[in-house]
Amino acid sequence: MRILYVAAGIPVPGSIGGSTHVIEVSRGLVALGHEVLVIAGTNAEGARSEPWALSGTEGRALVCNFPRRQALALTLLPAILRLCAEFQPDAVMERYYNLSGAGLIAARRHGLPALLEVN
């Protein structure tokens, strides 16, 4: 299954708990045989809107970083819609936090099942 994982306010890689969580969930999904595209916040290296391979996933988990604060994550909707169309996921998973929701909107617009991850 191809999964679009939207964690737009979380820096990946990063040094906060959310960063570790997103990385390990992505690795776990890959270990189960899925392909994952992660939409994440800006990491320490800055914005990298071109997909890069998450280490330890043999290229089956890709990450795109965008320079947005959590409060502005909905402004990523156009980019998320574009990446959703390009990646053609079977489902969208979004990490919940206040002011999130662009992943769920993208899922609805593309007629895809969606999962809201609440920690």
Side-chain angles (χ1 to χ4, degrees), residues 2 9 23 34 39 45-46 54 60 76 80-81 100 102 108 111 117:
R2 294 168 66 87
I23 290 168
H34 304 291
I39 309 293
E45 299 169 14
L54 184 63
R60 298 200 50 215
L76 287 175
I80 291 170
L81 288 169
S100 63
R108 183 171 181 107
E117 175 191 3

Side-chain angles (χ1 to χ4, degrees), residues 7 10 13-14 20 30 37-38 45 60 79 84 89 101 108 110 112:
I10 305 296
T20 302
V30 166
L37 175 61
V38 179
E45 299 169 14
R60 298 200 50 215
C84 190
R108 183 171 181 107
H110 285 275
L112 298 168

Side-chain angles (χ1 to χ4, degrees), residues 16-103:
I16 64 173
S19 304
T20 302
H21 179 84
V22 170
I23 290 168
E24 293 307 320
V25 166
S26 299
R27 287 182 176 149
L29 291 169
V30 166
L32 292 171
H34 304 291
E35 292 180 55
V36 181
L37 175 61
V38 179
I39 309 293
T42 304
N43 63 22
E45 299 169 14
R48 295 169 65 184
S49 59
E50 291 300 315
W52 56 274
L54 184 63
S55 66
T57 66
E58 299 178 6
R60 298 200 50 215
L62 301 175
V63 179
C64 291
N65 299 103
F66 289 94
R68 298 288 193 283
R69 295 182 191 176
Q70 282 187 341
L72 299 175
L74 280 173
T75 64
L76 287 175
L77 182 58
I80 291 170
L81 288 169
R82 177 183 55 81
L83 289 166
C84 190
E86 291 173 5
F87 183 62
Q88 298 184 336
D90 298 302
V92 176
M93 184 168 111
E94 182 157 20
R95 180 182 169 92
Y96 172 79
Y97 57 87
N98 292 337
L99 306 173
S100 63

